[in-house]
Amino acid sequence: MIPKELSFLEEKIGYTFKNKSLINTAVTHSSYSNELRAKKINISCNERLEFLGDSVLSIVTSEYLFVEYGDLPEGDLTHMRAALVQSQALASYARRIGLGEFLYLGHGEEKNRDQQSILEDAFEALLAAIY
C-alpha cells in the first residue's frame, strides 16, 4: 500500500507543517527506514520523535487537567492523565485521524498497519513534529 499524500493528513489535523521533513519523519516506521538503509538510502524513522512526543503529550495533558480541574487533588489528576495517555487511547486518537493510512512501513509490517503499538508510536511522533 502506498501511503496517502501527507497534505491530507495536514488537513485532517488542521496544521500545516513549515518543515515538511518533520511530518515525513513522524510517519516513517523503523521497518521502512531499515529497508531503505539496506539499499544505501538514509532516511530517519519516527523513534526519536516518538520519544519527544511522549513528553509533549504528558506536559500538554497535565497542563490541561491542572487548569480545567483545579479543585481535584494530585492523585485524581494522575489517574485522569494515565487514562488519557495510555496506549489504547493513543491508538484510538490515531485511528480517528486515519494516521495508519499515512504511515511508511516496511514490507513485513504492512499487515500491522492498524496495530496498536504502531499507531501509538506514530501518534506520539506526530505530536512531537507539531511541537
Side-chain angles (χ1 to χ4, degrees):
M1 176 181 152
I2 298 173
K4 285 186 175 179
E5 176 65 38
L6 293 177
S7 62
F8 294 126
L9 178 57
E10 289 177 317
E11 285 178 33
K12 282 189 164 205
I13 63 174
Y15 183 83
T16 302
F17 286 85
K18 293 174 190 76
N19 182 349
K20 300 299 183 190
S21 69
L22 286 172
I23 190 173
N24 281 309
T25 301
V27 297
T28 301
H29 190 263
S30 60
S31 62
Y32 184 78
S33 177
N34 291 336
E35 284 182 9
L36 289 181
R37 192 169 294 117
K39 297 176 183 179
K40 307 291 186 221
I41 300 169
N42 192 17
I43 183 170
S44 297
C45 71
N46 64 8
E47 289 176 344
R48 287 179 50 82
L49 282 176
E50 173 201 342
F51 167 79
L52 178 60
D54 182 60
S55 294
V56 170
L57 179 62
S58 182
I59 190 67
V60 168
T61 304
S62 296
E63 180 183 21
Y64 173 80
L65 294 172
F66 185 84
V67 170
E68 290 299 312
Y69 300 95
D71 57 332
L72 290 181
E74 177 270 337
D76 291 346
L77 295 172
T78 298
H79 289 300
M80 291 172 71
R81 181 182 60 207
L84 291 170
V85 302
Q86 59 137 320
S87 296
Q88 191 172 5
L90 298 181
S92 173
Y93 307 148
R95 285 184 185 102
R96 281 190 214 162
I97 61 171
L99 187 55
E101 300 170 26
F102 299 95
L103 299 179
Y104 291 99
L105 300 170
H107 291 91
E109 291 293 341
E110 270 299 324
K111 64 187 176 302
N112 299 322
R113 186 168 289 281
D114 194 52
Q115 183 178 332
Q116 182 172 306
S117 62
I118 289 175
L119 291 175
E120 168 194 1
D121 293 349
F123 186 77
E124 288 177 335
L126 183 62
L127 290 176
I130 293 168
Y131 173 77

